[in-house]
Amino acid sequence: MDVDTRLLRYFLAVAEEGTLTRAAERLFVSQPTLTKQIRQLETLLGARLFTRSRAGMALTEPGRALAARLPALLTAWDQVLRETRRAAGRAARSLRVGFMASAANEATPRIITEFARRRPGWRVEMRQAGWSDPSAGLADGDVDVALLRLPFPGQDALRTAVLFSEPRWVALPEDHPLAVRDVLPFRDLWDEPFVAAPPETGRWRDHWLAAGERDGRPVRIGAVTDQPDDWLSAIANGYGIALAPASAARFYARPGVTYRPVSGVSSSRVGVAWAVADDTDPVVQDFVHACLESARPPQTEAGTGTAG
Amino acid sequence: MDVDTRLLRYFLAVAEEGTLTRAAERLFVSQPTLTKQIRQLETLLGARLFTRSRAGMALTEPGRALAARLPALLTAWDQVLRETRRAAGRAARSLRVGFMASAANEATPRIITEFARRRPGWRVEMRQAGWSDPSAGLADGDVDVALLRLPFPGQDALRTAVLFSEPRWVALPEDHPLAVRDVLPFRDLWDEPFVAAPPETGRWRDHWLAAGERDGRPVRIGAVTDQPDDWLSAIANGYGIALAPASAARFYARPGVTYRPVSGVSSSRVGVAWAVADDTDPVVQDFVHACLESARPPQTEAGTGTAG
DNA sequence: CACATCCATGCCCACAGGTTATGGAAGCAG
DNA sequence: CTGCTTCCATAACCTGTGGGCATGGATGTG
């Protein structure tokens, strides 16, 4: 009895949402498609999985049985998929490196060079992650090692090493009243609206809002963005300001956005992270050592830099 | 990343067979189909799974990783499928009963009636199994309880109760020299070719060949059949003779085939079987009790009948 | 050198999964 | 009671793809 995992995901979506219409929206398919697919799954299994009513789709007893066991199955498949891809990377002598936009910045080429020196014949496959995943794919097993900003959610289940720290500056619209000043005390920014990362990024979001360094004052959120491009636009358009690593002034320059040093806020730490299981993996450890050896504070080291 | 389990089965078949051609035969698809499907799986995973050569398809490292984990995954899916179907049966107040052709014969209606008396509102869903599965679907979890002939392969992992025993007769071509006699001593049949069940049915096949009651003489196989119809045809066409329960003379009468009592061979036992997990299931136990209570030796009880 | 045995390719057909548009049933507001 | 909304089901249609057959290319073997 063959099934496509897509069908199973469809089923789970309907089971969770309770109506075809909402599940269809979530899955980005049309509602008639779901109608047909769910019906097909039912005939395939030879069991009614839902009782239909104008109120929506309610699970039957066999439906509940299926819904209870499916998630583990899909997770297991995901795991197999990842392990296979990892094996493929190894077989091709390729290390998958995830990185956050603006994580290591100018340190990155040096790291790559140093890794190449230690592992001749190996290549690195760089994968940029969006802000929705501050672990840069490491938490999902999509990469073997990641260059990222600390702290990030899920960090405790992984290994991390700090490479360097870098002062946090502020990015603000060119015509912002505070833009005339050279250095901005953080407390002057407390009441400004901020452009923030999505809420699911947890402590990483909090860190870039410096939520713990506002003396208990609440944060005003002016916009939520998921990518550097949207982030810059939001700032340029006046939706808010944002903290950013000092190097962002060079790597994310854009007309309408200026960067200023900030005093009274801690630095940002750049780190390398890997899975606990790779503590003994020679290739991963070579990369980590390459990071530690070649990472130097960027040239613009000035202000409140402190390693955590 | 969505996959059809069919694709995964294809992959495993190729991995096990070592060549596309043989795997294609085993899967009952054409070889070009497999070529395309395997290639598709590879692009889907982004990894070479096989190294092609004229000698066949050899697994790569990622291919081995996948092949090692897939069977457990497919088994798990099978399990989920069965549990869902079982739940569906329960929700519909329906007990799935597997039975071998000619297992309980005339006892069956009495059993059903007795079960209906104990469980008003429930119905039984009778599923006939071919000879290729002497557990009548119970080993695979396709049914909740089964009426069958003992012994059968896999019996030790299940619960069984003997209902009655029935003498074994012989089915032979009408014009067979031995057909003129009334009762045939089994030893007179030792050198006759027999029509047998498929080899994978193990001890069940051996039982119907009475392999252990030939004083060490080897069995001559004249034909292998998987269904009653083929079986009768094979006998009528003179490919061989076969032992059969006495009741087969009534349930499987066919022109060209006659049945004769046999002396010197043990009886056949009819039993009911269920899964160990259902020892405490009230519905299953009701069915078992219905069997035990209403099963009486068939009218033709004569000869060497002994219960095991 | 012919032949067998692999896998790959090209061409074609059928089907299934997707879409939009529309219908029917049943609550809810006026 | 009527009209609106919110469900799911149905119909008609399009297209991608899984499947088949026939055939080609590579490489050993009698």
Side-chain angles (χ1 to χ4, degrees), chain B residues 235-294:
Chain B
I235 295 169
N237 292 333
Y239 289 110
I241 66 176
L243 293 178
S247 55
R250 302 186 303 281
F251 285 85
Y252 293 95
R254 159 168 308 199
V257 175
T258 56
Y259 295 86
R260 290 285 179 275
V262 178
S263 63
V265 71
S266 65
S267 286
S268 160
R269 288 171 296 145
V270 172
V272 56
W274 64 98
V276 176
D278 282 336
D279 278 349
T280 59
D281 185 295
V283 183
V284 168
Q285 291 306 312
D286 272 357
F287 186 87
V288 172
H289 291 139
C291 287
L292 292 170
E293 185 160 309
S294 55

Short mmCIF file of all heavy atoms in Angstrom, two decimals, chain B residues 235-294:
data_model
loop_
_atom_site.label_atom_id
_atom_site.label_comp_id
_atom_site.label_asym_id
_atom_site.label_seq_id
_atom_site.Cartn_x
_atom_site.Cartn_y
_atom_site.Cartn_z
N ILE B 235 -5.08 -31.41 -10.35
CA ILE B 235 -5.40 -32.80 -10.04
C ILE B 235 -6.17 -33.44 -11.20
O ILE B 235 -5.84 -34.52 -11.67
CB ILE B 235 -6.20 -32.89 -8.73
CG1 ILE B 235 -5.31 -32.43 -7.57
CG2 ILE B 235 -6.70 -34.31 -8.51
CD1 ILE B 235 -6.06 -32.23 -6.28
N ALA B 236 -7.17 -32.71 -11.67
CA ALA B 236 -8.00 -33.25 -12.75
C ALA B 236 -7.14 -33.54 -13.98
O ALA B 236 -7.37 -34.50 -14.71
CB ALA B 236 -9.12 -32.26 -13.10
N ASN B 237 -6.13 -32.71 -14.21
CA ASN B 237 -5.29 -32.87 -15.39
C ASN B 237 -4.17 -33.88 -15.20
O ASN B 237 -3.33 -34.04 -16.06
CB ASN B 237 -4.70 -31.53 -15.80
CG ASN B 237 -5.77 -30.60 -16.31
OD1 ASN B 237 -6.81 -31.04 -16.82
ND2 ASN B 237 -5.54 -29.31 -16.16
N GLY B 238 -4.15 -34.50 -14.00
CA GLY B 238 -3.21 -35.58 -13.80
C GLY B 238 -1.81 -35.17 -13.41
O GLY B 238 -0.89 -35.97 -13.47
N TYR B 239 -1.63 -33.90 -13.01
CA TYR B 239 -0.29 -33.50 -12.57
C TYR B 239 0.09 -34.13 -11.24
O TYR B 239 1.26 -34.18 -10.87
CB TYR B 239 -0.19 -31.98 -12.45
CG TYR B 239 -0.20 -31.27 -13.78
CD1 TYR B 239 -1.30 -30.51 -14.17
CD2 TYR B 239 0.88 -31.39 -14.64
CE1 TYR B 239 -1.32 -29.89 -15.40
CE2 TYR B 239 0.87 -30.77 -15.87
CZ TYR B 239 -0.23 -30.01 -16.25
OH TYR B 239 -0.25 -29.40 -17.46
N GLY B 240 -0.91 -34.56 -10.51
CA GLY B 240 -0.59 -35.18 -9.23
C GLY B 240 -1.86 -35.39 -8.42
O GLY B 240 -2.97 -35.05 -8.86
N ILE B 241 -1.67 -35.95 -7.23
CA ILE B 241 -2.78 -36.13 -6.30
C ILE B 241 -2.50 -35.26 -5.08
O ILE B 241 -1.46 -34.60 -5.00
CB ILE B 241 -2.93 -37.60 -5.88
CG1 ILE B 241 -1.70 -38.04 -5.07
CG2 ILE B 241 -3.09 -38.48 -7.12
CD1 ILE B 241 -1.81 -39.45 -4.55
N ALA B 242 -3.41 -35.19 -4.12
CA ALA B 242 -3.18 -34.34 -2.96
C ALA B 242 -4.04 -34.77 -1.80
O ALA B 242 -5.18 -35.24 -1.99
CB ALA B 242 -3.46 -32.88 -3.30
N LEU B 243 -3.50 -34.62 -0.60
CA LEU B 243 -4.32 -34.82 0.59
C LEU B 243 -5.25 -33.62 0.76
O LEU B 243 -4.91 -32.50 0.37
CB LEU B 243 -3.43 -34.98 1.82
CG LEU B 243 -2.57 -36.25 1.84
CD1 LEU B 243 -1.70 -36.26 3.11
CD2 LEU B 243 -3.45 -37.49 1.79
N ALA B 244 -6.39 -33.84 1.35
CA ALA B 244 -7.36 -32.76 1.56
C ALA B 244 -8.25 -33.16 2.72
O ALA B 244 -8.42 -34.35 3.00
CB ALA B 244 -8.19 -32.54 0.30
N PRO B 245 -8.82 -32.19 3.42
CA PRO B 245 -9.76 -32.55 4.49
C PRO B 245 -10.96 -33.29 3.91
O PRO B 245 -11.34 -33.05 2.76
CB PRO B 245 -10.16 -31.20 5.08
CG PRO B 245 -9.77 -30.19 4.07
CD PRO B 245 -8.62 -30.75 3.32
N ALA B 246 -11.51 -34.18 4.70
CA ALA B 246 -12.64 -34.97 4.23
C ALA B 246 -13.75 -34.09 3.67
O ALA B 246 -14.40 -34.42 2.69
CB ALA B 246 -13.17 -35.83 5.37
N SER B 247 -13.96 -32.93 4.30
CA SER B 247 -15.05 -32.07 3.87
C SER B 247 -14.82 -31.50 2.47
O SER B 247 -15.75 -31.01 1.84
CB SER B 247 -15.26 -30.94 4.87
OG SER B 247 -14.06 -30.22 5.05
N ALA B 248 -13.58 -31.54 2.00
CA ALA B 248 -13.32 -31.04 0.65
C ALA B 248 -14.13 -31.82 -0.38
O ALA B 248 -14.50 -31.28 -1.43
CB ALA B 248 -11.83 -31.12 0.32
N ALA B 249 -14.42 -33.09 -0.06
CA ALA B 249 -15.20 -33.89 -1.00
C ALA B 249 -16.56 -33.24 -1.27
O ALA B 249 -17.12 -33.38 -2.35
CB ALA B 249 -15.40 -35.30 -0.44
N ARG B 250 -17.09 -32.54 -0.28
CA ARG B 250 -18.36 -31.86 -0.47
C ARG B 250 -18.19 -30.43 -0.98
O ARG B 250 -18.94 -29.96 -1.81
CB ARG B 250 -19.14 -31.82 0.85
CG ARG B 250 -19.40 -33.20 1.43
CD ARG B 250 -20.29 -33.13 2.65
NE ARG B 250 -19.76 -32.29 3.70
CZ ARG B 250 -18.79 -32.68 4.55
NH1 ARG B 250 -18.23 -33.87 4.41
NH2 ARG B 250 -18.37 -31.85 5.49
N PHE B 251 -17.13 -29.72 -0.46
CA PHE B 251 -16.98 -28.30 -0.78
C PHE B 251 -16.19 -28.07 -2.06
O PHE B 251 -16.25 -26.99 -2.62
CB PHE B 251 -16.32 -27.57 0.39
CG PHE B 251 -17.25 -27.34 1.54
CD1 PHE B 251 -17.44 -28.31 2.50
CD2 PHE B 251 -17.97 -26.15 1.62
CE1 PHE B 251 -18.32 -28.10 3.54
CE2 PHE B 251 -18.84 -25.93 2.66
CZ PHE B 251 -19.02 -26.92 3.63
N TYR B 252 -15.42 -29.03 -2.46
CA TYR B 252 -14.63 -28.85 -3.67
C TYR B 252 -14.82 -30.01 -4.62
O TYR B 252 -13.88 -30.56 -5.16
CB TYR B 252 -13.15 -28.65 -3.32
CG TYR B 252 -12.94 -27.35 -2.59
CD1 TYR B 252 -12.91 -27.30 -1.20
CD2 TYR B 252 -12.83 -26.16 -3.31
CE1 TYR B 252 -12.75 -26.10 -0.54
CE2 TYR B 252 -12.69 -24.96 -2.67
CZ TYR B 252 -12.64 -24.94 -1.28
OH TYR B 252 -12.50 -23.75 -0.64
N ALA B 253 -16.07 -30.36 -4.83
CA ALA B 253 -16.39 -31.38 -5.83
C ALA B 253 -16.20 -30.79 -7.21
O ALA B 253 -16.49 -29.62 -7.44
CB ALA B 253 -17.83 -31.86 -5.65
N ARG B 254 -15.64 -31.58 -8.09
CA ARG B 254 -15.46 -31.11 -9.47
C ARG B 254 -15.39 -32.33 -10.37
O ARG B 254 -14.78 -33.34 -10.00
CB ARG B 254 -14.16 -30.30 -9.58
CG ARG B 254 -13.66 -30.22 -11.01
CD ARG B 254 -12.58 -29.24 -11.22
NE ARG B 254 -12.91 -27.92 -10.71
CZ ARG B 254 -12.28 -26.82 -11.11
NH1 ARG B 254 -11.34 -26.89 -12.04
NH2 ARG B 254 -12.58 -25.66 -10.60
N PRO B 255 -15.98 -32.26 -11.55
CA PRO B 255 -15.89 -33.38 -12.50
C PRO B 255 -14.44 -33.70 -12.78
O PRO B 255 -13.63 -32.81 -12.99
CB PRO B 255 -16.58 -32.84 -13.77
CG PRO B 255 -17.43 -31.71 -13.31
CD PRO B 255 -16.78 -31.16 -12.07
N GLY B 256 -14.10 -34.95 -12.75
CA GLY B 256 -12.74 -35.35 -13.04
C GLY B 256 -11.90 -35.55 -11.79
O GLY B 256 -10.80 -36.06 -11.86
N VAL B 257 -12.43 -35.11 -10.65
CA VAL B 257 -11.70 -35.27 -9.40
C VAL B 257 -12.56 -36.07 -8.44
O VAL B 257 -13.73 -35.76 -8.25
CB VAL B 257 -11.34 -33.91 -8.77
CG1 VAL B 257 -10.68 -34.10 -7.41
CG2 VAL B 257 -10.46 -33.10 -9.70
N THR B 258 -11.99 -37.11 -7.85
CA THR B 258 -12.72 -37.87 -6.83
C THR B 258 -11.93 -37.87 -5.54
O THR B 258 -10.72 -37.61 -5.53
CB THR B 258 -12.92 -39.34 -7.27
OG1 THR B 258 -11.65 -39.90 -7.56
CG2 THR B 258 -13.81 -39.41 -8.48
N TYR B 259 -12.62 -38.13 -4.44
CA TYR B 259 -11.99 -38.13 -3.12
C TYR B 259 -12.14 -39.51 -2.51
O TYR B 259 -13.18 -40.16 -2.67
CB TYR B 259 -12.65 -37.08 -2.22
CG TYR B 259 -12.43 -35.65 -2.68
CD1 TYR B 259 -13.29 -35.06 -3.61
CD2 TYR B 259 -11.38 -34.89 -2.17
CE1 TYR B 259 -13.11 -33.76 -4.03
CE2 TYR B 259 -11.19 -33.59 -2.59
CZ TYR B 259 -12.05 -33.02 -3.52
OH TYR B 259 -11.85 -31.73 -3.92
N ARG B 260 -11.10 -39.94 -1.81
CA ARG B 260 -11.14 -41.25 -1.15
C ARG B 260 -10.56 -41.12 0.25
O ARG B 260 -9.59 -40.37 0.46
CB ARG B 260 -10.27 -42.25 -1.93
CG ARG B 260 -10.81 -42.66 -3.28
CD ARG B 260 -11.98 -43.64 -3.14
NE ARG B 260 -12.51 -44.00 -4.45
CZ ARG B 260 -13.42 -43.30 -5.11
NH1 ARG B 260 -13.89 -42.18 -4.59
NH2 ARG B 260 -13.86 -43.71 -6.29
N PRO B 261 -11.15 -41.84 1.20
CA PRO B 261 -10.54 -41.88 2.54
C PRO B 261 -9.14 -42.49 2.46
O PRO B 261 -8.87 -43.30 1.58
CB PRO B 261 -11.48 -42.78 3.34
CG PRO B 261 -12.75 -42.79 2.57
CD PRO B 261 -12.40 -42.61 1.13
N VAL B 262 -8.28 -42.03 3.39
CA VAL B 262 -6.92 -42.54 3.45
C VAL B 262 -6.67 -43.12 4.84
O VAL B 262 -7.01 -42.47 5.84
CB VAL B 262 -5.89 -41.44 3.16
CG1 VAL B 262 -4.47 -41.97 3.26
CG2 VAL B 262 -6.13 -40.85 1.78
N SER B 263 -6.09 -44.25 4.91
CA SER B 263 -5.73 -44.81 6.22
C SER B 263 -4.23 -44.65 6.41
O SER B 263 -3.48 -44.52 5.44
CB SER B 263 -6.11 -46.29 6.29
OG SER B 263 -5.37 -47.01 5.33
N GLY B 264 -3.83 -44.62 7.67
CA GLY B 264 -2.40 -44.54 7.94
C GLY B 264 -1.83 -43.14 7.86
O GLY B 264 -0.63 -42.96 7.72
N VAL B 265 -2.67 -42.15 7.95
CA VAL B 265 -2.18 -40.77 7.97
C VAL B 265 -2.97 -40.02 9.05
O VAL B 265 -4.15 -40.30 9.26
CB VAL B 265 -2.33 -40.10 6.59
CG1 VAL B 265 -3.79 -39.81 6.24
CG2 VAL B 265 -1.50 -38.83 6.51
N SER B 266 -2.30 -39.10 9.74
CA SER B 266 -2.96 -38.43 10.86
C SER B 266 -4.05 -37.49 10.35
O SER B 266 -4.14 -37.19 9.16
CB SER B 266 -1.93 -37.65 11.66
OG SER B 266 -1.41 -36.61 10.87
N SER B 267 -4.85 -36.99 11.29
CA SER B 267 -5.94 -36.08 10.94
C SER B 267 -5.42 -34.67 10.77
O SER B 267 -4.30 -34.34 11.13
CB SER B 267 -7.01 -36.10 12.02
OG SER B 267 -7.74 -37.29 11.96
N SER B 268 -6.28 -33.84 10.23
CA SER B 268 -5.99 -32.42 10.13
C SER B 268 -6.76 -31.69 11.22
O SER B 268 -7.90 -32.02 11.51
CB SER B 268 -6.43 -31.91 8.75
OG SER B 268 -6.60 -30.52 8.76
N ARG B 269 -6.12 -30.73 11.85
CA ARG B 269 -6.78 -29.98 12.91
C ARG B 269 -7.18 -28.59 12.42
O ARG B 269 -6.39 -27.90 11.77
CB ARG B 269 -5.85 -29.83 14.12
CG ARG B 269 -5.65 -31.13 14.88
CD ARG B 269 -4.57 -30.97 15.92
NE ARG B 269 -3.29 -30.69 15.31
CZ ARG B 269 -2.38 -29.88 15.85
NH1 ARG B 269 -2.61 -29.30 17.01
NH2 ARG B 269 -1.23 -29.68 15.23
N VAL B 270 -8.39 -28.21 12.77
CA VAL B 270 -8.87 -26.86 12.45
C VAL B 270 -8.78 -26.03 13.72
O VAL B 270 -9.13 -26.50 14.81
CB VAL B 270 -10.32 -26.90 11.93
CG1 VAL B 270 -10.88 -25.48 11.79
CG2 VAL B 270 -10.40 -27.64 10.61
N GLY B 271 -8.29 -24.82 13.59
CA GLY B 271 -8.13 -23.98 14.78
C GLY B 271 -8.56 -22.55 14.53
O GLY B 271 -8.82 -22.13 13.40
N VAL B 272 -8.65 -21.83 15.63
CA VAL B 272 -8.85 -20.38 15.55
C VAL B 272 -7.59 -19.74 16.12
O VAL B 272 -7.00 -20.27 17.07
CB VAL B 272 -10.12 -19.95 16.32
CG1 VAL B 272 -10.06 -20.40 17.77
CG2 VAL B 272 -10.30 -18.44 16.25
N ALA B 273 -7.18 -18.63 15.52
CA ALA B 273 -5.94 -17.98 15.95
C ALA B 273 -6.17 -16.49 16.13
O ALA B 273 -7.01 -15.89 15.46
CB ALA B 273 -4.83 -18.23 14.92
N TRP B 274 -5.41 -15.90 17.06
CA TRP B 274 -5.49 -14.45 17.27
C TRP B 274 -4.15 -13.95 17.78
O TRP B 274 -3.28 -14.74 18.16
CB TRP B 274 -6.62 -14.11 18.24
CG TRP B 274 -6.42 -14.65 19.64
CD1 TRP B 274 -5.94 -13.97 20.71
CD2 TRP B 274 -6.73 -15.98 20.12
NE1 TRP B 274 -5.90 -14.79 21.82
CE2 TRP B 274 -6.38 -16.01 21.48
CE3 TRP B 274 -7.24 -17.13 19.52
CZ2 TRP B 274 -6.55 -17.16 22.26
CZ3 TRP B 274 -7.40 -18.27 20.29
CH2 TRP B 274 -7.05 -18.29 21.63
N ALA B 275 -3.99 -12.64 17.79
CA ALA B 275 -2.73 -12.06 18.22
C ALA B 275 -2.63 -12.07 19.74
O ALA B 275 -3.64 -11.97 20.44
CB ALA B 275 -2.61 -10.61 17.72
N VAL B 276 -1.41 -12.17 20.24
CA VAL B 276 -1.19 -12.18 21.68
C VAL B 276 -1.79 -10.92 22.32
O VAL B 276 -2.38 -10.97 23.40
CB VAL B 276 0.32 -12.25 21.98
CG1 VAL B 276 0.57 -12.16 23.48
CG2 VAL B 276 0.90 -13.55 21.43
N ALA B 277 -1.67 -9.79 21.62
CA ALA B 277 -2.17 -8.53 22.17
C ALA B 277 -3.67 -8.56 22.38
O ALA B 277 -4.22 -7.76 23.14
CB ALA B 277 -1.77 -7.38 21.25
N ASP B 278 -4.36 -9.48 21.70
CA ASP B 278 -5.82 -9.52 21.80
C ASP B 278 -6.29 -10.53 22.86
O ASP B 278 -7.48 -10.84 22.92
CB ASP B 278 -6.44 -9.86 20.45
CG ASP B 278 -6.44 -8.65 19.53
OD1 ASP B 278 -6.40 -7.51 20.06
OD2 ASP B 278 -6.48 -8.82 18.30
N ASP B 279 -5.38 -11.02 23.67
CA ASP B 279 -5.78 -11.93 24.74
C ASP B 279 -6.83 -11.29 25.63
O ASP B 279 -7.67 -11.97 26.22
CB ASP B 279 -4.56 -12.30 25.61
CG ASP B 279 -3.74 -13.40 24.97
OD1 ASP B 279 -4.23 -14.01 24.00
OD2 ASP B 279 -2.62 -13.65 25.44
N THR B 280 -6.76 -9.98 25.75
CA THR B 280 -7.69 -9.28 26.66
C THR B 280 -8.75 -8.51 25.90
O THR B 280 -9.53 -7.78 26.50
CB THR B 280 -6.90 -8.29 27.53
OG1 THR B 280 -6.23 -7.36 26.68
CG2 THR B 280 -5.89 -9.01 28.39
N ASP B 281 -8.78 -8.66 24.59
CA ASP B 281 -9.78 -7.93 23.82
C ASP B 281 -11.12 -8.66 23.90
O ASP B 281 -11.23 -9.81 23.49
CB ASP B 281 -9.33 -7.81 22.36
CG ASP B 281 -10.28 -6.97 21.54
OD1 ASP B 281 -11.45 -7.39 21.36
OD2 ASP B 281 -9.87 -5.89 21.09
N PRO B 282 -12.14 -8.02 24.44
CA PRO B 282 -13.41 -8.73 24.67
C PRO B 282 -14.07 -9.21 23.39
O PRO B 282 -14.67 -10.29 23.37
CB PRO B 282 -14.27 -7.70 25.40
CG PRO B 282 -13.64 -6.38 25.11
CD PRO B 282 -12.19 -6.63 24.91
N VAL B 283 -13.97 -8.43 22.34
CA VAL B 283 -14.63 -8.84 21.10
C VAL B 283 -13.95 -10.06 20.51
O VAL B 283 -14.60 -11.04 20.12
CB VAL B 283 -14.66 -7.67 20.09
CG1 VAL B 283 -15.41 -8.08 18.84
CG2 VAL B 283 -15.28 -6.45 20.72
N VAL B 284 -12.62 -10.00 20.45
CA VAL B 284 -11.89 -11.14 19.91
C VAL B 284 -12.15 -12.38 20.75
O VAL B 284 -12.39 -13.48 20.22
CB VAL B 284 -10.38 -10.82 19.85
CG1 VAL B 284 -9.58 -12.09 19.57
CG2 VAL B 284 -10.10 -9.78 18.79
N GLN B 285 -12.14 -12.21 22.07
CA GLN B 285 -12.36 -13.38 22.93
C GLN B 285 -13.77 -13.92 22.77
O GLN B 285 -13.98 -15.14 22.84
CB GLN B 285 -12.06 -13.01 24.38
CG GLN B 285 -10.57 -12.76 24.63
CD GLN B 285 -9.70 -13.93 24.17
OE1 GLN B 285 -9.98 -15.08 24.47
NE2 GLN B 285 -8.66 -13.62 23.39
N ASP B 286 -14.73 -13.04 22.56
CA ASP B 286 -16.09 -13.52 22.29
C ASP B 286 -16.12 -14.40 21.05
O ASP B 286 -16.80 -15.43 21.01
CB ASP B 286 -17.03 -12.32 22.10
CG ASP B 286 -17.61 -11.86 23.43
OD1 ASP B 286 -17.33 -12.50 24.46
OD2 ASP B 286 -18.35 -10.86 23.44
N PHE B 287 -15.37 -13.96 20.05
CA PHE B 287 -15.35 -14.76 18.83
C PHE B 287 -14.70 -16.12 19.09
O PHE B 287 -15.20 -17.15 18.64
CB PHE B 287 -14.62 -14.02 17.71
CG PHE B 287 -14.71 -14.74 16.39
CD1 PHE B 287 -15.79 -14.52 15.55
CD2 PHE B 287 -13.74 -15.65 16.00
CE1 PHE B 287 -15.89 -15.18 14.33
CE2 PHE B 287 -13.83 -16.32 14.78
CZ PHE B 287 -14.91 -16.09 13.96
N VAL B 288 -13.61 -16.10 19.83
CA VAL B 288 -12.93 -17.36 20.13
C VAL B 288 -13.87 -18.31 20.89
O VAL B 288 -13.97 -19.50 20.57
CB VAL B 288 -11.64 -17.09 20.94
CG1 VAL B 288 -11.04 -18.40 21.44
CG2 VAL B 288 -10.63 -16.33 20.10
N HIS B 289 -14.58 -17.75 21.86
CA HIS B 289 -15.50 -18.60 22.62
C HIS B 289 -16.62 -19.11 21.74
O HIS B 289 -17.08 -20.24 21.88
CB HIS B 289 -16.04 -17.82 23.83
CG HIS B 289 -14.99 -17.56 24.87
ND1 HIS B 289 -14.87 -16.37 25.55
CD2 HIS B 289 -13.97 -18.34 25.31
CE1 HIS B 289 -13.84 -16.43 26.37
NE2 HIS B 289 -13.27 -17.63 26.24
N ALA B 290 -17.06 -18.25 20.84
CA ALA B 290 -18.10 -18.68 19.90
C ALA B 290 -17.60 -19.86 19.07
O ALA B 290 -18.33 -20.82 18.82
CB ALA B 290 -18.50 -17.53 18.98
N CYS B 291 -16.34 -19.79 18.71
CA CYS B 291 -15.75 -20.90 17.94
C CYS B 291 -15.74 -22.18 18.76
O CYS B 291 -16.20 -23.24 18.32
CB CYS B 291 -14.32 -20.56 17.55
SG CYS B 291 -14.16 -19.33 16.26
N LEU B 292 -15.21 -22.07 19.97
CA LEU B 292 -15.05 -23.25 20.80
C LEU B 292 -16.39 -23.88 21.12
O LEU B 292 -16.52 -25.10 21.20
CB LEU B 292 -14.32 -22.89 22.10
CG LEU B 292 -12.86 -22.48 21.89
CD1 LEU B 292 -12.28 -21.89 23.17
CD2 LEU B 292 -12.05 -23.69 21.43
N GLU B 293 -17.40 -23.06 21.28
CA GLU B 293 -18.69 -23.57 21.69
C GLU B 293 -19.45 -24.21 20.54
O GLU B 293 -20.14 -25.21 20.72
CB GLU B 293 -19.52 -22.42 22.28
CG GLU B 293 -20.84 -22.87 22.86
CD GLU B 293 -21.34 -21.83 23.82
OE1 GLU B 293 -20.56 -21.43 24.72
OE2 GLU B 293 -22.50 -21.40 23.68
N SER B 294 -19.34 -23.60 19.37
CA SER B 294 -20.18 -24.07 18.27
C SER B 294 -19.47 -25.02 17.33
O SER B 294 -20.09 -25.55 16.42
CB SER B 294 -20.73 -22.88 17.49
OG SER B 294 -19.66 -22.07 17.06
#
